[in-house]
């Protein structure tokens, strides 16, 4: 499943801090800077999507854009991040 973190909902967002938190979460497999300057990521889907989005928000210490997290047509592929977190 995907998740989206917008700057508007997370003023002062620190990409490095969120990527470090993502690396500690077993379900997160990717976290990268999005085209809009926030972050987006992919996680292994486990159980109820709403509950998992809540767990992701808590674990990453951010406010997720839940509506856009559910939008599979979002232009996430347009983002370029030279240092994404990718689960080894």
């Amino acid at each position: 499943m995907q998740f989206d973190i917008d700057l508007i909902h997370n003023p002062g967002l620190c990409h490095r801090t969120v990527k470090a938190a993502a690396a500690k979460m077993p379900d997160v497999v990717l976290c990268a800077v999005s085209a809009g300057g926030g972050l987006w990521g992919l996680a292994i889907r486990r159980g109820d999507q709403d509950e998992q989005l809540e767990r992701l928000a808590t674990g990453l210490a951010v406010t997720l854009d839940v509506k856009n997290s559910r939008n599979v047509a979002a232009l996430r592929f347009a983002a370029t991040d030279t240092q994404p977190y990718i689960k080894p």
Side-chain angles (χ1 to χ4, degrees):
M1 72 178 272
Q2 63 190 3
F3 57 90
D4 184 64
I5 305 166
D6 291 336
L7 292 175
I8 194 165
H9 300 120
N10 299 279
L13 180 69
C14 177
H15 296 143
R16 186 177 305 160
T17 301
V18 176
K19 288 179 186 180
K24 295 176 183 175
M25 298 186 73
D27 294 343
V28 176
V29 295
L30 171 87
C31 187
V33 177
S34 65
L39 290 159
W40 73 284
L42 297 172
I44 299 168
R45 177 78 184 263
R46 306 231 193 253
D48 182 75
Q49 187 175 18
D50 290 327
E51 290 175 10
Q52 188 169 10
L53 287 171
E54 286 180 32
R55 287 192 307 272
L56 285 167
T58 300
L60 299 172
V62 297
T63 299
L64 294 179
D65 180 341
V66 175
K67 183 178 178 182
N68 207 27
S69 292
R70 295 175 178 277
N71 181 2
V72 295
L75 299 175
R76 299 190 200 317
F77 60 85
T80 57
D81 185 343
T82 59
Q83 295 181 318
Y85 161 71
I86 301 172
K87 183 175 280 310

